[in-house]
Short mmCIF file of all heavy atoms in Angstrom, two decimals:
data_model
loop_
_atom_site.label_atom_id
_atom_site.label_comp_id
_atom_site.label_asym_id
_atom_site.label_seq_id
_atom_site.Cartn_x
_atom_site.Cartn_y
_atom_site.Cartn_z
N ASN A 1 0.83 -1.20 0.00
CA ASN A 1 0.00 0.00 0.00
C ASN A 1 0.86 1.25 0.00
O ASN A 1 0.57 2.24 -0.68
CB ASN A 1 -0.92 0.00 1.22
CG ASN A 1 -1.98 1.08 1.15
OD1 ASN A 1 -2.61 1.25 0.11
ND2 ASN A 1 -2.17 1.81 2.23
N LYS A 2 1.98 1.21 0.76
CA LYS A 2 2.88 2.37 0.83
C LYS A 2 3.52 2.65 -0.51
O LYS A 2 3.58 3.80 -0.95
CB LYS A 2 3.96 2.12 1.89
CG LYS A 2 4.93 3.29 2.04
CD LYS A 2 5.95 3.01 3.12
CE LYS A 2 6.92 4.17 3.27
NZ LYS A 2 7.95 3.92 4.29
N VAL A 3 3.99 1.60 -1.18
CA VAL A 3 4.62 1.77 -2.49
C VAL A 3 3.62 2.32 -3.49
O VAL A 3 3.91 3.26 -4.24
CB VAL A 3 5.21 0.43 -3.00
CG1 VAL A 3 5.64 0.55 -4.45
CG2 VAL A 3 6.38 0.01 -2.13
N SER A 4 2.40 1.76 -3.49
CA SER A 4 1.37 2.24 -4.41
C SER A 4 1.02 3.68 -4.14
O SER A 4 0.84 4.49 -5.04
CB SER A 4 0.11 1.37 -4.29
OG SER A 4 0.40 0.04 -4.65
N TYR A 5 0.94 4.02 -2.85
CA TYR A 5 0.59 5.39 -2.45
C TYR A 5 1.65 6.38 -2.88
O TYR A 5 1.36 7.42 -3.47
CB TYR A 5 0.40 5.44 -0.94
CG TYR A 5 0.36 6.85 -0.39
CD1 TYR A 5 -0.73 7.66 -0.63
CD2 TYR A 5 1.42 7.35 0.36
CE1 TYR A 5 -0.77 8.95 -0.13
CE2 TYR A 5 1.40 8.63 0.85
CZ TYR A 5 0.29 9.43 0.61
OH TYR A 5 0.27 10.70 1.09
N LEU A 6 2.92 6.05 -2.65
CA LEU A 6 4.00 6.96 -3.00
C LEU A 6 4.10 7.14 -4.51
O LEU A 6 4.30 8.24 -5.00
CB LEU A 6 5.33 6.44 -2.45
CG LEU A 6 5.53 6.55 -0.94
CD1 LEU A 6 6.81 5.83 -0.55
CD2 LEU A 6 5.58 8.00 -0.49
N GLU A 7 3.95 6.05 -5.26
CA GLU A 7 4.10 6.12 -6.70
C GLU A 7 2.92 6.79 -7.37
O GLU A 7 3.07 7.55 -8.31
CB GLU A 7 4.27 4.71 -7.29
CG GLU A 7 5.64 4.12 -7.03
CD GLU A 7 5.84 2.83 -7.78
OE1 GLU A 7 4.83 2.16 -8.08
OE2 GLU A 7 6.99 2.48 -8.07
N ASN A 8 1.73 6.51 -6.89
CA ASN A 8 0.54 7.06 -7.56
C ASN A 8 0.20 8.45 -7.08
O ASN A 8 -0.54 9.17 -7.74
CB ASN A 8 -0.65 6.12 -7.35
CG ASN A 8 -1.75 6.37 -8.34
OD1 ASN A 8 -1.52 6.82 -9.45
ND2 ASN A 8 -2.97 6.08 -7.94
N GLY A 9 0.73 8.84 -5.91
CA GLY A 9 0.54 10.20 -5.44
C GLY A 9 -0.86 10.53 -5.00
O GLY A 9 -1.21 11.68 -4.82
N THR A 10 -1.72 9.53 -4.83
CA THR A 10 -3.10 9.79 -4.46
C THR A 10 -3.34 9.37 -3.02
O THR A 10 -3.37 8.18 -2.71
CB THR A 10 -4.08 9.01 -5.37
OG1 THR A 10 -3.75 9.31 -6.72
CG2 THR A 10 -5.51 9.37 -5.09
N PRO A 11 -3.57 10.31 -2.10
CA PRO A 11 -3.78 9.97 -0.71
C PRO A 11 -5.02 9.13 -0.52
O PRO A 11 -6.07 9.44 -1.08
CB PRO A 11 -3.91 11.34 -0.03
CG PRO A 11 -3.30 12.31 -0.97
CD PRO A 11 -3.55 11.76 -2.33
N THR A 12 -4.94 8.08 0.27
CA THR A 12 -6.11 7.28 0.59
C THR A 12 -6.61 7.58 2.00
O THR A 12 -7.68 7.17 2.38
CB THR A 12 -5.77 5.78 0.51
OG1 THR A 12 -4.64 5.52 1.35
CG2 THR A 12 -5.42 5.39 -0.92
N SER A 13 -5.83 8.29 2.78
CA SER A 13 -6.22 8.68 4.12
C SER A 13 -5.32 9.81 4.56
O SER A 13 -4.37 10.18 3.88
CB SER A 13 -6.07 7.49 5.09
OG SER A 13 -4.72 7.09 5.15
N LYS A 14 -5.61 10.38 5.71
CA LYS A 14 -4.77 11.45 6.23
C LYS A 14 -3.47 10.82 6.71
O LYS A 14 -3.46 10.02 7.64
CB LYS A 14 -5.48 12.15 7.39
CG LYS A 14 -5.08 13.60 7.56
CD LYS A 14 -6.02 14.29 8.48
CE LYS A 14 -5.74 15.79 8.51
NZ LYS A 14 -6.67 16.51 9.40
N THR A 15 -2.38 11.16 6.09
CA THR A 15 -1.13 10.45 6.37
C THR A 15 0.06 11.38 6.24
O THR A 15 -0.09 12.54 5.91
CB THR A 15 -0.97 9.25 5.41
OG1 THR A 15 0.17 8.50 5.79
CG2 THR A 15 -0.78 9.71 3.98
N VAL A 16 1.23 10.86 6.51
CA VAL A 16 2.46 11.63 6.33
C VAL A 16 3.42 10.81 5.49
O VAL A 16 3.32 9.60 5.43
CB VAL A 16 3.13 11.97 7.69
CG1 VAL A 16 2.26 12.89 8.50
CG2 VAL A 16 3.43 10.70 8.48
N THR A 17 4.33 11.49 4.86
CA THR A 17 5.30 10.84 4.00
C THR A 17 6.70 11.08 4.53
O THR A 17 7.05 12.23 4.78
CB THR A 17 5.20 11.39 2.57
OG1 THR A 17 3.88 11.15 2.09
CG2 THR A 17 6.20 10.71 1.65
N PRO A 18 7.52 10.05 4.71
CA PRO A 18 8.88 10.27 5.19
C PRO A 18 9.73 10.97 4.14
O PRO A 18 9.64 10.65 2.96
CB PRO A 18 9.39 8.85 5.45
CG PRO A 18 8.57 7.98 4.56
CD PRO A 18 7.23 8.64 4.46
N THR A 19 10.55 11.90 4.56
CA THR A 19 11.46 12.56 3.65
C THR A 19 12.74 11.74 3.56
O THR A 19 12.88 10.72 4.24
CB THR A 19 11.81 13.98 4.15
OG1 THR A 19 12.59 13.85 5.35
CG2 THR A 19 10.57 14.78 4.44
N ALA A 20 13.67 12.20 2.73
CA ALA A 20 14.92 11.45 2.53
C ALA A 20 15.73 11.35 3.82
O ALA A 20 16.48 10.41 4.02
CB ALA A 20 15.75 12.11 1.44
N ASN A 21 15.57 12.33 4.71
CA ASN A 21 16.38 12.30 5.93
C ASN A 21 15.61 11.73 7.13
O ASN A 21 16.03 11.87 8.26
CB ASN A 21 16.90 13.71 6.26
CG ASN A 21 15.76 14.70 6.50
OD1 ASN A 21 14.61 14.30 6.54
ND2 ASN A 21 16.10 15.95 6.65
N GLY A 22 14.46 11.11 6.86
CA GLY A 22 13.73 10.43 7.91
C GLY A 22 12.72 11.29 8.64
O GLY A 22 12.01 10.83 9.52
N ALA A 23 12.62 12.58 8.27
CA ALA A 23 11.61 13.44 8.88
C ALA A 23 10.26 13.12 8.25
O ALA A 23 10.14 12.24 7.43
CB ALA A 23 11.99 14.91 8.66
N ALA A 24 9.24 13.86 8.63
CA ALA A 24 7.92 13.59 8.06
C ALA A 24 7.28 14.89 7.61
O ALA A 24 7.38 15.91 8.27
CB ALA A 24 7.02 12.90 9.09
N ALA A 25 6.62 14.84 6.45
CA ALA A 25 5.95 16.03 5.92
C ALA A 25 4.45 15.77 5.89
O ALA A 25 4.00 14.77 5.36
CB ALA A 25 6.45 16.33 4.51
N ASP A 26 3.66 16.67 6.47
CA ASP A 26 2.22 16.51 6.47
C ASP A 26 1.67 16.69 5.07
O ASP A 26 2.12 17.52 4.30
CB ASP A 26 1.56 17.54 7.39
CG ASP A 26 1.84 17.24 8.84
OD1 ASP A 26 1.67 16.07 9.22
OD2 ASP A 26 2.24 18.15 9.58
N ALA A 27 0.65 15.89 4.74
CA ALA A 27 -0.06 16.10 3.49
C ALA A 27 -0.81 17.41 3.58
O ALA A 27 -1.00 17.96 4.66
CB ALA A 27 -1.04 14.94 3.27
N VAL A 28 -1.21 17.95 2.44
CA VAL A 28 -1.95 19.21 2.45
C VAL A 28 -3.19 19.05 3.31
O VAL A 28 -4.00 18.17 3.08
CB VAL A 28 -2.35 19.61 1.02
CG1 VAL A 28 -3.21 20.87 1.04
CG2 VAL A 28 -1.12 19.84 0.18
N ALA A 29 -3.32 19.89 4.32
CA ALA A 29 -4.42 19.75 5.28
C ALA A 29 -5.69 20.43 4.77
O ALA A 29 -5.65 21.45 4.10
CB ALA A 29 -4.02 20.37 6.61
N ASN A 30 -6.83 19.83 5.11
CA ASN A 30 -8.13 20.42 4.82
C ASN A 30 -8.30 20.81 3.36
O ASN A 30 -8.77 21.90 3.04
CB ASN A 30 -8.36 21.66 5.71
CG ASN A 30 -8.22 21.32 7.18
OD1 ASN A 30 -8.74 20.31 7.64
ND2 ASN A 30 -7.53 22.17 7.92
N GLN A 31 -7.93 19.95 2.47
CA GLN A 31 -8.08 20.24 1.05
C GLN A 31 -9.54 20.30 0.66
O GLN A 31 -10.32 19.43 1.01
CB GLN A 31 -7.44 19.12 0.22
CG GLN A 31 -6.03 19.37 -0.19
CD GLN A 31 -5.52 18.22 -1.01
OE1 GLN A 31 -6.18 17.78 -1.93
NE2 GLN A 31 -4.36 17.72 -0.67
N PRO A 32 -9.95 21.33 -0.09
CA PRO A 32 -11.30 21.35 -0.63
C PRO A 32 -11.48 20.17 -1.58
O PRO A 32 -10.52 19.72 -2.19
CB PRO A 32 -11.35 22.69 -1.38
CG PRO A 32 -10.26 23.51 -0.78
CD PRO A 32 -9.20 22.54 -0.40
N LYS A 33 -12.69 19.69 -1.71
CA LYS A 33 -12.93 18.50 -2.51
C LYS A 33 -12.59 18.70 -3.98
O LYS A 33 -12.25 17.76 -4.67
CB LYS A 33 -14.39 18.05 -2.36
CG LYS A 33 -14.70 17.49 -0.97
CD LYS A 33 -16.12 17.00 -0.89
CE LYS A 33 -16.42 16.43 0.49
NZ LYS A 33 -17.82 15.97 0.60
N ASN A 34 -12.71 19.95 -4.49
CA ASN A 34 -12.42 20.16 -5.90
C ASN A 34 -10.94 20.29 -6.20
O ASN A 34 -10.55 20.48 -7.34
CB ASN A 34 -13.17 21.41 -6.42
CG ASN A 34 -12.65 22.70 -5.79
OD1 ASN A 34 -11.80 22.67 -4.91
ND2 ASN A 34 -13.19 23.83 -6.24
N GLY A 35 -10.08 20.18 -5.17
CA GLY A 35 -8.65 20.22 -5.37
C GLY A 35 -8.05 21.61 -5.30
O GLY A 35 -6.83 21.75 -5.35
N LYS A 36 -8.88 22.66 -5.22
CA LYS A 36 -8.34 24.01 -5.17
C LYS A 36 -7.79 24.30 -3.78
O LYS A 36 -8.44 24.05 -2.77
CB LYS A 36 -9.42 25.04 -5.52
CG LYS A 36 -8.88 26.45 -5.67
CD LYS A 36 -9.96 27.40 -6.15
CE LYS A 36 -9.41 28.80 -6.33
NZ LYS A 36 -10.46 29.74 -6.81
N LEU A 37 -6.56 24.80 -3.72
CA LEU A 37 -5.93 25.08 -2.45
C LEU A 37 -6.40 26.42 -1.89
O LEU A 37 -6.83 27.31 -2.62
CB LEU A 37 -4.40 25.12 -2.62
CG LEU A 37 -3.72 23.89 -3.23
CD1 LEU A 37 -2.21 24.05 -3.15
CD2 LEU A 37 -4.15 22.61 -2.54
N THR A 38 -6.30 26.55 -0.59
CA THR A 38 -6.59 27.83 0.04
C THR A 38 -5.45 28.80 -0.29
O THR A 38 -4.39 28.39 -0.79
CB THR A 38 -6.68 27.68 1.56
OG1 THR A 38 -5.39 27.30 2.07
CG2 THR A 38 -7.71 26.62 1.95
N GLU A 39 -5.64 30.07 -0.02
CA GLU A 39 -4.59 31.06 -0.29
C GLU A 39 -3.32 30.74 0.48
O GLU A 39 -2.21 30.88 -0.03
CB GLU A 39 -5.08 32.46 0.07
CG GLU A 39 -6.11 33.03 -0.91
CD GLU A 39 -6.45 34.47 -0.60
OE1 GLU A 39 -5.70 35.12 0.16
OE2 GLU A 39 -7.47 34.96 -1.13
#
């Protein structure tokens, strides 16, 4: 599931992605359903 998620780039749940140095980056929070980001 992790490999599919990272490669396809489509979030299936609220999750975080490890960076190259082992830290974690939050996915875009509270995304509108149409994909448009807030300011």
Side-chain angles (χ1 to χ4, degrees):
N1 190 46
K2 181 179 180 181
V3 170
S4 298
Y5 166 72
L6 287 172
E7 286 188 334
N8 198 28
T10 307
T12 54
S13 62
K14 208 167 187 179
T15 186
V16 295
T17 300
T19 67
N21 61 6
D26 289 312
V28 176
N30 304 316
Q31 266 181 48
K33 290 183 180 179
N34 67 355
K36 188 174 182 180
L37 304 187
T38 65
E39 288 186 15

